[in-house]
Amino acid sequence: MGSWNVHRVTAGDAARMRALRLEMLADSPLAFLETLADAAARSHESYRRRIIEASTGAGFANFVADPGNGGRLIGHAGGTVMPEFPGETVIFAVYVTPAHRGGKVLADLIEAVNDWSRAAGRRRALLEVVVGNDRAVRAYEKLGFTDTGERVPHPVIPTLTELRMRRSL
């Protein structure tokens, strides 16, 4: 499976992060809040600005799994603060490339988000998974997340439902 390091994004990651984002949307279109077409239409400068925004501070962060050879990134997880979930980090846009699924990449990404969250004083993490994505649910359960029993409409596709999972940090 190789080796990697997980780090918070930097401005230098913008081009590789854009490539990973397009891969994420092509591979798992129901899991994310934008379409592949919309993401592909955004300029490189737009990606670069968003990466810079996510590279510092305690309110919004992106982490990537990097094989360290200048090649393609192999995973991503983001964290943000939302007023409706005080004291929690909302984990979003979690993705691991198919060749690296089932290993430790997911755990390393989630732990990076959790470390960032704890450093900011937050003690719980929340994420949402499309109902029926049992593989993702099982993976998150292995990382200590539990189903809250809450079901919410998918924010983009009204025919889908998401389940909420939480973990104490």
Side-chain angles (χ1 to χ4, degrees):
M1 289 276 267
S3 64
W4 60 88
N5 67 67
V6 172
H7 66 86
R8 191 165 183 180
V9 293
T10 67
D13 293 319
R16 293 187 309 150
M17 188 57 220
R18 183 177 192 274
L20 183 64
R21 180 68 178 171
L22 296 176
E23 177 184 330
M24 292 162 64
L25 292 165
D27 181 70
S28 306
L30 300 180
F32 306 106
L33 302 183
E34 75 179 325
T35 67
L36 177 58
D38 288 343
R42 280 196 290 130
S43 69
H44 176 72
E45 181 57 25
S46 171
Y47 278 94
R48 193 181 75 71
R49 281 192 309 269
R50 184 149 171 96
I51 294 303
I52 289 170
E53 180 185 344
S55 68
T56 62
F60 171 57
N62 285 327
F63 295 87
V64 291
D66 187 342
N69 59 7
R72 294 181 69 89
L73 298 172
I74 61 172
H76 172 272
T80 193
V81 177
M82 299 176 75
E84 59 267 36
F85 302 109
E88 293 184 294
T89 291
V90 177
I91 298 175
F92 67 93
V94 178
Y95 179 76
V96 175
T97 59
H100 291 85
R101 291 178 187 157
K104 197 171 178 297
V105 175
L106 176 66
D108 289 351
L109 286 163
I110 296 297
E111 198 53 38
V113 176
N114 288 344
D115 288 346
W116 166 79
S117 185
R118 279 190 294 272
R122 293 183 294 274
R123 298 292 174 243
R124 291 194 316 173
L126 165 79
L127 55 81
E128 295 174 345
V129 181
V130 172
V131 170
N133 188 349
D134 296 335
R135 180 178 177 154
V137 170
R138 285 191 305 273
Y140 292 129
E141 286 173 341
K142 287 180 184 176
L143 298 176
F145 286 86
T146 58
D147 185 341
T148 66
E150 299 170 81
R151 301 296 182 265
V152 295
H154 188 282
V156 177
I157 305 166
T159 58
L160 296 177
T161 302
E162 294 187 316
L163 63 92
R164 285 194 175 136
M165 301 182 82
R166 279 195 172 88
R167 172 184 163 181
S168 294
L169 303 179

Coordinates of all heavy atoms in Angstrom, one line a residue, residues 13-101:
D13 N -0.3 22.9 -2.3 CA -1.1 21.7 -2.6 C -2.3 22.0 -3.6 O -3.0 21.1 -3.9 CB -1.7 21.1 -1.3 CG -0.7 20.6 -0.4 OD1 0.2 19.9 -0.8 OD2 -0.9 20.8 0.8
A14 N -2.5 23.2 -4.0 CA -3.7 23.6 -4.7 C -3.9 22.7 -6.0 O -5.0 22.2 -6.2 CB -3.7 25.1 -5.1
A15 N -2.9 22.6 -6.8 CA -3.1 21.8 -8.1 C -3.4 20.4 -7.8 O -4.3 19.8 -8.4 CB -1.9 22.0 -9.0
R16 N -2.7 19.8 -6.9 CA -3.0 18.4 -6.6 C -4.3 18.2 -5.8 O -5.0 17.2 -6.0 CB -1.8 17.8 -5.7 CG -0.5 17.7 -6.5 CD 0.6 17.0 -5.8 NE 0.8 17.4 -4.5 CZ 1.3 16.7 -3.5 NH1 1.5 15.4 -3.7 NH2 1.5 17.2 -2.3
M17 N -4.7 19.2 -5.0 CA -6.0 19.1 -4.4 C -7.1 19.2 -5.4 O -8.1 18.6 -5.3 CB -6.1 20.2 -3.3 CG -7.3 20.1 -2.4 SD -7.5 18.6 -1.6 CE -9.2 18.4 -1.7
R18 N -6.9 20.1 -6.4 CA -8.0 20.2 -7.4 C -8.1 18.8 -8.2 O -9.2 18.4 -8.4 CB -7.6 21.3 -8.4 CG -8.7 21.5 -9.5 CD -8.3 22.6 -10.5 NE -9.4 23.0 -11.3 CZ -9.7 22.4 -12.4 NH1 -8.9 21.5 -12.9 NH2 -10.7 22.9 -13.1
A19 N -7.0 18.2 -8.5 CA -7.1 16.9 -9.1 C -7.8 15.9 -8.3 O -8.6 15.1 -8.7 CB -5.6 16.4 -9.5
L20 N -7.4 15.9 -7.0 CA -8.1 14.9 -6.0 C -9.6 15.2 -5.9 O -10.4 14.3 -5.9 CB -7.4 15.0 -4.7 CG -8.0 14.0 -3.6 CD1 -7.7 12.6 -4.1 CD2 -7.4 14.3 -2.3
R21 N -10.0 16.5 -5.9 CA -11.4 16.9 -5.8 C -12.1 16.4 -7.0 O -13.2 15.8 -6.9 CB -11.5 18.4 -5.7 CG -12.9 18.9 -5.6 CD -13.6 18.5 -4.3 NE -14.9 19.0 -4.2 CZ -15.8 18.7 -3.3 NH1 -15.5 17.9 -2.3 NH2 -17.0 19.2 -3.3
L22 N -11.6 16.5 -8.2 CA -12.3 16.0 -9.4 C -12.4 14.5 -9.3 O -13.4 13.9 -9.7 CB -11.5 16.5 -10.6 CG -11.5 18.0 -10.8 CD1 -10.7 18.4 -12.1 CD2 -12.9 18.6 -10.9
E23 N -11.3 13.8 -8.8 CA -11.4 12.3 -8.7 C -12.5 12.0 -7.7 O -13.3 11.0 -7.9 CB -10.0 11.8 -8.2 CG -10.1 10.3 -7.9 CD -8.7 9.8 -7.4 OE1 -7.7 10.4 -7.7 OE2 -8.8 8.8 -6.6
M24 N -12.6 12.7 -6.6 CA -13.6 12.4 -5.5 C -15.0 12.5 -6.1 O -15.8 11.6 -5.9 CB -13.5 13.5 -4.4 CG -12.3 13.4 -3.6 SD -11.9 14.9 -2.6 CE -13.3 15.0 -1.5
L25 N -15.2 13.5 -6.9 CA -16.6 13.7 -7.5 C -16.9 12.7 -8.5 O -18.0 12.3 -8.7 CB -16.7 15.1 -8.0 CG -16.7 16.2 -6.9 CD1 -16.4 17.6 -7.5 CD2 -18.0 16.1 -6.1
A26 N -15.9 12.3 -9.3 CA -16.1 11.3 -10.3 C -16.4 9.9 -9.7 O -17.2 9.1 -10.2 CB -14.9 11.2 -11.3
D27 N -15.6 9.6 -8.6 CA -15.7 8.3 -8.0 C -17.0 8.1 -7.1 O -17.6 7.1 -7.1 CB -14.5 8.0 -7.2 CG -14.5 6.7 -6.5 OD1 -14.3 5.7 -7.2 OD2 -14.6 6.6 -5.3
S28 N -17.3 9.2 -6.4 CA -18.4 9.1 -5.4 C -19.3 10.3 -5.5 O -19.4 11.1 -4.6 CB -17.8 9.0 -4.0 OG -16.9 8.0 -3.9
P29 N -20.0 10.5 -6.6 CA -20.8 11.7 -6.8 C -21.9 12.0 -5.7 O -22.3 13.1 -5.5 CB -21.4 11.5 -8.2 CG -21.4 10.0 -8.4 CD -20.2 9.5 -7.6
L30 N -22.4 11.0 -5.1 CA -23.5 11.2 -4.1 C -22.9 11.7 -2.7 O -23.7 12.2 -1.9 CB -24.3 9.9 -3.8 CG -25.0 9.3 -5.1 CD1 -25.7 8.1 -4.7 CD2 -25.9 10.4 -5.7
A31 N -21.6 11.6 -2.5 CA -21.1 11.8 -1.2 C -20.7 13.3 -1.0 O -20.4 13.7 0.1 CB -19.8 11.0 -1.0
F32 N -20.7 14.1 -2.0 CA -20.2 15.5 -1.9 C -21.3 16.5 -2.4 O -22.3 16.1 -3.0 CB -18.9 15.6 -2.7 CG -17.9 14.6 -2.3 CD1 -17.6 13.5 -3.1 CD2 -17.3 14.7 -1.0 CE1 -16.7 12.5 -2.7 CE2 -16.4 13.7 -0.6 CZ -16.1 12.6 -1.4
L33 N -21.1 17.7 -2.1 CA -22.1 18.7 -2.3 C -22.0 19.5 -3.6 O -22.7 20.5 -3.7 CB -22.1 19.7 -1.1 CG -22.3 19.1 0.3 CD1 -22.4 20.1 1.4 CD2 -23.6 18.2 0.3
E34 N -21.1 19.1 -4.4 CA -21.1 19.8 -5.8 C -20.9 18.7 -6.8 O -20.6 17.6 -6.5 CB -20.0 20.8 -5.8 CG -18.6 20.3 -6.0 CD -17.5 21.4 -6.1 OE1 -17.8 22.4 -6.7 OE2 -16.4 21.1 -5.6
T35 N -21.2 19.1 -8.0 CA -21.1 18.1 -9.1 C -19.7 18.2 -9.7 O -19.0 19.2 -9.6 CB -22.1 18.4 -10.2 OG1 -21.8 19.7 -10.9 CG2 -23.6 18.4 -9.7
L36 N -19.4 17.1 -10.4 CA -18.1 17.1 -11.1 C -18.0 18.2 -12.1 O -17.0 18.9 -12.2 CB -17.9 15.7 -11.8 CG -16.7 15.6 -12.7 CD1 -15.4 15.8 -11.9 CD2 -16.7 14.2 -13.3
A37 N -19.1 18.5 -12.8 CA -19.1 19.6 -13.8 C -18.9 20.9 -13.2 O -18.1 21.7 -13.7 CB -20.4 19.6 -14.6
D38 N -19.5 21.2 -12.1 CA -19.3 22.5 -11.4 C -17.9 22.6 -10.9 O -17.3 23.7 -11.0 CB -20.3 22.6 -10.2 CG -21.7 22.8 -10.6 OD1 -22.0 23.2 -11.8 OD2 -22.6 22.6 -9.8
A39 N -17.3 21.5 -10.3 CA -16.0 21.6 -9.8 C -15.0 21.8 -11.0 O -14.0 22.5 -10.8 CB -15.6 20.3 -9.0
A40 N -15.2 21.1 -12.1 CA -14.3 21.2 -13.2 C -14.3 22.6 -13.8 O -13.3 23.1 -14.3 CB -14.6 20.2 -14.3
A41 N -15.5 23.3 -13.7 CA -15.6 24.6 -14.2 C -14.9 25.7 -13.4 O -14.7 26.8 -13.9 CB -17.1 25.0 -14.4
R42 N -14.7 25.4 -12.1 CA -14.0 26.4 -11.2 C -12.6 26.6 -11.6 O -11.9 25.6 -12.0 CB -14.1 25.9 -9.8 CG -15.4 26.2 -9.2 CD -15.4 26.2 -7.6 NE -15.3 24.8 -7.2 CZ -14.4 24.4 -6.2 NH1 -13.6 25.3 -5.7 NH2 -14.3 23.2 -5.8
S43 N -12.1 27.8 -11.5 CA -10.7 28.1 -11.9 C -9.7 27.5 -10.9 O -10.0 27.3 -9.8 CB -10.6 29.6 -12.1 OG -10.6 30.2 -10.8
H44 N -8.5 27.4 -11.4 CA -7.4 27.0 -10.5 C -7.3 28.1 -9.4 O -7.0 27.7 -8.2 CB -6.1 26.9 -11.3 CG -4.9 26.6 -10.4 ND1 -4.8 25.3 -9.8 CD2 -3.9 27.3 -9.9 CE1 -3.7 25.3 -9.0 NE2 -3.2 26.5 -9.1
E45 N -7.4 29.3 -9.7 CA -7.3 30.4 -8.7 C -8.4 30.2 -7.6 O -8.1 30.4 -6.4 CB -7.5 31.8 -9.4 CG -7.3 32.9 -8.4 CD -6.0 32.9 -7.6 OE1 -5.0 32.4 -8.1 OE2 -6.0 33.5 -6.5
S46 N -9.6 29.8 -8.0 CA -10.6 29.5 -7.0 C -10.2 28.4 -6.0 O -10.4 28.5 -4.8 CB -11.9 29.1 -7.7 OG -12.9 28.7 -6.8
Y47 N -9.6 27.3 -6.6 CA -9.1 26.2 -5.7 C -8.0 26.8 -4.8 O -8.0 26.5 -3.6 CB -8.6 25.1 -6.6 CG -9.7 24.2 -7.0 CD1 -10.3 24.3 -8.3 CD2 -10.1 23.1 -6.2 CE1 -11.3 23.5 -8.7 CE2 -11.1 22.2 -6.7 CZ -11.7 22.4 -7.9 OH -12.7 21.6 -8.3
R48 N -7.1 27.5 -5.4 CA -6.0 28.0 -4.6 C -6.5 28.9 -3.5 O -6.0 28.7 -2.3 CB -5.0 28.8 -5.5 CG -3.7 29.1 -4.9 CD -2.8 30.0 -5.8 NE -3.2 31.3 -5.9 CZ -3.1 32.2 -4.9 NH1 -2.6 31.9 -3.7 NH2 -3.5 33.5 -5.1
R49 N -7.4 29.8 -3.7 CA -8.0 30.6 -2.6 C -8.6 29.8 -1.5 O -8.4 30.1 -0.3 CB -9.0 31.6 -3.2 CG -8.4 32.8 -3.9 CD -9.4 33.9 -4.1 NE -10.6 33.4 -4.8 CZ -10.8 33.4 -6.1 NH1 -9.8 33.8 -6.9 NH2 -11.9 33.0 -6.6
R50 N -9.3 28.8 -1.9 CA -10.0 27.9 -0.9 C -8.9 27.1 -0.1 O -9.1 27.0 1.1 CB -11.0 27.0 -1.5 CG -11.7 26.1 -0.5 CD -13.1 25.8 -1.0 NE -13.8 24.8 -0.2 CZ -14.6 25.2 0.8 NH1 -14.9 26.4 1.1 NH2 -15.2 24.2 1.5
I51 N -7.9 26.7 -0.7 CA -6.8 25.9 -0.1 C -6.1 26.9 0.9 O -5.8 26.5 2.1 CB -5.9 25.3 -1.1 CG1 -6.6 24.2 -1.9 CG2 -4.6 24.8 -0.4 CD1 -7.2 23.1 -1.1
I52 N -5.8 28.1 0.5 CA -5.2 29.0 1.4 C -6.1 29.3 2.6 O -5.6 29.3 3.8 CB -4.9 30.3 0.7 CG1 -3.7 30.1 -0.3 CG2 -4.5 31.4 1.6 CD1 -3.4 31.2 -1.3
E53 N -7.4 29.4 2.4 CA -8.3 29.6 3.5 C -8.3 28.5 4.5 O -8.4 28.7 5.7 CB -9.7 29.8 2.9 CG -10.8 30.1 4.0 CD -12.2 30.1 3.4 OE1 -12.3 30.3 2.2 OE2 -13.2 30.0 4.2
A54 N -8.2 27.3 4.0 CA -8.2 26.0 4.8 C -6.9 25.7 5.4 O -6.8 24.8 6.2 CB -8.7 24.9 4.0
S55 N -5.8 26.5 5.1 CA -4.5 26.2 5.6 C -4.1 26.7 7.0 O -3.1 26.3 7.6 CB -3.4 26.6 4.6 OG -3.4 28.1 4.5
T56 N -5.0 27.6 7.5 CA -4.7 28.2 8.8 C -6.0 28.4 9.6 O -7.1 28.5 9.0 CB -3.9 29.6 8.7 OG1 -4.8 30.5 8.0 CG2 -2.6 29.4 8.0
G57 N -5.9 28.6 10.9 CA -7.0 28.9 11.7 C -7.7 27.7 12.3 O -7.4 26.6 12.0
A58 N -8.7 28.1 13.2 CA -9.4 27.0 13.9 C -10.8 26.8 13.5 O -11.5 25.9 14.1 CB -9.4 27.4 15.4
G59 N -11.2 27.5 12.4 CA -12.6 27.3 12.0 C -12.9 26.5 10.8 O -14.0 26.0 10.5
F60 N -11.8 26.2 10.0 CA -12.0 25.5 8.8 C -10.6 24.9 8.4 O -9.6 25.7 8.4 CB -12.5 26.4 7.7 CG -12.5 25.9 6.3 CD1 -13.2 24.7 6.0 CD2 -11.9 26.6 5.3 CE1 -13.2 24.3 4.7 CE2 -11.9 26.1 4.0 CZ -12.6 25.0 3.7
A61 N -10.5 23.6 8.1 CA -9.3 23.0 7.7 C -9.5 21.9 6.8 O -10.5 21.1 6.9 CB -8.5 22.5 9.0
N62 N -8.5 21.7 5.9 CA -8.4 20.5 5.0 C -7.1 19.8 5.3 O -6.1 20.4 5.4 CB -8.5 20.9 3.6 CG -9.8 21.3 3.1 OD1 -10.8 20.8 3.6 ND2 -9.9 22.3 2.2
F63 N -7.2 18.5 5.4 CA -6.1 17.6 5.5 C -6.0 16.6 4.4 O -7.0 16.2 3.9 CB -6.1 16.8 6.9 CG -6.1 17.8 8.0 CD1 -7.3 18.3 8.5 CD2 -4.9 18.1 8.6 CE1 -7.2 19.2 9.6 CE2 -4.8 19.0 9.7 CZ -6.0 19.5 10.2
V64 N -4.8 16.3 3.9 CA -4.6 15.4 2.8 C -3.6 14.3 3.2 O -2.7 14.6 4.0 CB -4.1 16.1 1.5 CG1 -5.2 17.0 1.0 CG2 -2.8 17.0 1.8
A65 N -3.7 13.2 2.6 CA -2.8 12.1 2.7 C -1.9 12.2 1.4 O -2.4 12.1 0.3 CB -3.5 10.7 2.8
D66 N -0.6 12.4 1.7 CA 0.4 12.7 0.6 C 1.4 11.6 0.6 O 2.1 11.4 1.6 CB 1.0 14.0 0.9 CG 1.9 14.6 -0.2 OD1 2.3 13.8 -1.0 OD2 2.2 15.8 -0.1
P67 N 1.6 10.9 -0.6 CA 2.6 9.9 -0.6 C 4.0 10.4 -0.6 O 5.0 9.7 -0.4 CB 2.4 9.2 -2.0 CG 1.6 10.2 -2.8 CD 0.8 11.0 -1.8
G68 N 4.2 11.8 -0.6 CA 5.5 12.4 -0.4 C 6.4 12.4 -1.6 O 7.5 12.9 -1.5
N69 N 5.9 11.9 -2.7 CA 6.8 11.9 -3.9 C 6.4 12.9 -5.0 O 6.9 12.8 -6.1 CB 6.8 10.5 -4.5 CG 5.4 10.0 -4.9 OD1 4.4 10.8 -4.9 ND2 5.2 8.8 -5.2
G70 N 5.6 13.8 -4.6 CA 5.1 14.8 -5.5 C 4.0 14.3 -6.4 O 3.5 15.0 -7.3
G71 N 3.6 13.0 -6.2 CA 2.5 12.4 -7.0 C 1.2 12.8 -6.5 O 1.0 13.7 -5.7
R72 N 0.2 12.1 -7.0 CA -1.2 12.4 -6.6 C -1.5 12.2 -5.1 O -0.9 11.2 -4.5 CB -2.1 11.5 -7.4 CG -2.1 11.8 -8.9 CD -3.0 10.9 -9.7 NE -4.4 11.2 -9.4 CZ -5.1 12.1 -10.1 NH1 -4.6 12.8 -11.1 NH2 -6.4 12.4 -9.8
L73 N -2.3 13.0 -4.6 CA -2.7 12.9 -3.2 C -3.6 11.6 -3.1 O -4.3 11.3 -4.1 CB -3.5 14.1 -2.7 CG -2.7 15.4 -2.7 CD1 -3.6 16.6 -2.4 CD2 -1.6 15.3 -1.7
I74 N -3.6 11.0 -2.0 CA -4.4 9.7 -1.9 C -5.6 9.8 -0.9 O -6.3 8.8 -0.8 CB -3.5 8.5 -1.5 CG1 -2.8 8.8 -0.2 CG2 -2.4 8.3 -2.6 CD1 -2.1 7.5 0.4
G75 N -5.8 10.9 -0.3 CA -6.9 11.1 0.6 C -7.1 12.5 1.0 O -6.2 13.3 1.0
H76 N -8.3 12.7 1.5 CA -8.7 14.1 2.0 C -9.7 13.9 3.1 O -10.6 13.1 3.1 CB -9.3 14.9 0.9 CG -9.9 16.2 1.4 ND1 -11.2 16.3 1.8 CD2 -9.3 17.4 1.5 CE1 -11.4 17.6 2.2 NE2 -10.3 18.3 2.0
A77 N -9.7 14.8 4.1 CA -10.8 15.0 5.1 C -10.7 16.5 5.5 O -9.6 17.0 5.7 CB -10.6 14.1 6.3
G78 N -11.9 17.1 5.6 CA -12.0 18.4 6.1 C -12.7 18.5 7.4 O -13.5 17.6 7.8
G79 N -12.6 19.6 8.1 CA -13.3 19.9 9.3 C -13.7 21.4 9.3 O -13.0 22.2 8.8
T80 N -14.9 21.6 9.9 CA -15.4 23.0 10.0 C -16.2 23.2 11.2 O -16.6 22.2 11.8 CB -16.2 23.4 8.7 OG1 -16.4 24.8 8.7 CG2 -17.5 22.7 8.6
V81 N -16.5 24.4 11.5 CA -17.3 24.8 12.7 C -18.6 25.3 12.1 O -18.6 26.1 11.2 CB -16.6 25.8 13.5 CG1 -17.5 26.3 14.7 CG2 -15.3 25.3 14.1
M82 N -19.7 24.9 12.6 CA -21.0 25.4 12.2 C -21.8 25.8 13.4 O -21.8 25.1 14.4 CB -21.8 24.3 11.4 CG -21.0 23.8 10.1 SD -21.8 22.5 9.3 CE -23.2 23.4 8.5
P83 N -22.5 26.9 13.3 CA -23.3 27.5 14.5 C -24.3 26.5 15.1 O -24.5 26.5 16.3 CB -24.0 28.7 14.0 CG -23.4 29.0 12.7 CD -22.6 27.8 12.2
E84 N -24.9 25.6 14.2 CA -25.9 24.7 14.7 C -25.3 23.5 15.5 O -26.1 22.7 16.0 CB -26.8 24.2 13.6 CG -26.1 23.5 12.4 CD -25.7 24.5 11.3 OE1 -25.3 25.6 11.5 OE2 -25.8 24.0 10.1
F85 N -24.0 23.4 15.5 CA -23.3 22.3 16.2 C -22.2 22.9 17.1 O -21.0 22.7 16.9 CB -22.7 21.3 15.2 CG -23.8 20.7 14.3 CD1 -23.8 21.0 13.0 CD2 -24.7 19.8 14.8 CE1 -24.7 20.5 12.1 CE2 -25.7 19.3 14.0 CZ -25.7 19.6 12.6
P86 N -22.6 23.7 18.1 CA -21.6 24.3 19.0 C -20.7 23.3 19.7 O -21.2 22.2 20.1 CB -22.4 25.1 20.0 CG -23.8 24.5 20.0 CD -24.0 23.9 18.6
G87 N -19.4 23.6 19.8 CA -18.5 22.7 20.5 C -18.1 21.4 19.7 O -17.4 20.6 20.2
E88 N -18.5 21.4 18.4 CA -18.3 20.2 17.6 C -17.5 20.6 16.3 O -17.7 21.7 15.9 CB -19.5 19.5 17.2 CG -20.3 18.8 18.3 CD -21.5 18.1 17.8 OE1 -22.4 18.7 17.3 OE2 -21.5 16.8 18.0
T89 N -16.8 19.7 15.8 CA -16.2 19.8 14.5 C -17.1 19.0 13.5 O -17.3 17.8 13.8 CB -14.8 19.3 14.4 OG1 -14.0 20.3 15.2 CG2 -14.2 19.3 13.0
V90 N -17.5 19.6 12.5 CA -18.2 18.8 11.4 C -17.2 18.3 10.4 O -16.5 19.2 9.8 CB -19.3 19.7 10.7 CG1 -20.0 18.9 9.6 CG2 -20.3 20.1 11.8
I91 N -17.0 17.0 10.3 CA -16.1 16.5 9.3 C -16.8 16.3 8.0 O -17.9 15.9 7.9 CB -15.6 15.1 9.8 CG1 -14.8 15.3 11.2 CG2 -14.7 14.4 8.8 CD1 -14.4 14.0 11.8
F92 N -16.1 16.7 6.9 CA -16.7 16.7 5.6 C -15.7 16.3 4.5 O -14.5 16.3 4.8 CB -17.3 18.1 5.3 CG -16.2 19.1 5.1 CD1 -15.7 19.4 3.8 CD2 -15.7 19.8 6.2 CE1 -14.7 20.4 3.7 CE2 -14.7 20.8 6.0 CZ -14.2 21.0 4.7
A93 N -16.3 15.9 3.4 CA -15.5 15.6 2.2 C -14.4 14.6 2.5 O -13.2 14.8 2.1 CB -14.9 16.9 1.6
V94 N -14.7 13.5 3.1 CA -13.8 12.5 3.4 C -13.7 11.6 2.2 O -14.7 11.1 1.6 CB -14.2 11.7 4.6 CG1 -13.2 10.5 4.9 CG2 -14.4 12.6 5.8
Y95 N -12.5 11.3 1.8 CA -12.2 10.5 0.6 C -10.9 9.9 0.6 O -9.9 10.5 1.0 CB -12.3 11.4 -0.7 CG -12.1 10.6 -2.0 CD1 -13.1 9.8 -2.5 CD2 -10.8 10.7 -2.6 CE1 -12.9 9.1 -3.7 CE2 -10.6 9.9 -3.8 CZ -11.6 9.1 -4.3 OH -11.4 8.4 -5.4
V96 N -10.8 8.6 0.3 CA -9.6 7.8 0.1 C -9.6 7.2 -1.3 O -10.7 6.6 -1.7 CB -9.5 6.8 1.2 CG1 -8.2 5.9 1.0 CG2 -9.4 7.4 2.6
T97 N -8.5 7.3 -2.0 CA -8.5 6.7 -3.3 C -8.8 5.2 -3.3 O -8.4 4.6 -2.3 CB -7.2 7.0 -4.0 OG1 -6.1 6.4 -3.3 CG2 -6.9 8.5 -4.2
P98 N -9.4 4.7 -4.3 CA -9.7 3.2 -4.2 C -8.6 2.3 -3.9 O -8.7 1.4 -3.1 CB -10.3 3.0 -5.6 CG -10.9 4.3 -6.1 CD -9.9 5.3 -5.5
A99 N -7.4 2.6 -4.4 CA -6.2 1.7 -4.1 C -5.8 1.7 -2.7 O -5.1 0.8 -2.2 CB -5.1 2.1 -5.0
H100 N -6.2 2.7 -1.9 CA -5.8 2.8 -0.5 C -6.9 2.6 0.5 O -6.7 2.8 1.7 CB -5.1 4.2 -0.3 CG -3.8 4.3 -1.0 ND1 -3.7 4.7 -2.3 CD2 -2.6 4.0 -0.6 CE1 -2.5 4.6 -2.7 NE2 -1.7 4.2 -1.7
R101 N -8.1 2.2 0.0 CA -9.2 2.0 0.9 C -9.0 0.7 1.7 O -8.3 -0.2 1.2 CB -10.5 1.9 0.2 CG -10.9 3.2 -0.4 CD -12.2 3.2 -1.2 NE -12.4 4.5 -1.8 CZ -13.1 4.7 -2.9 NH1 -13.8 3.6 -3.5 NH2 -13.3 5.9 -3.4

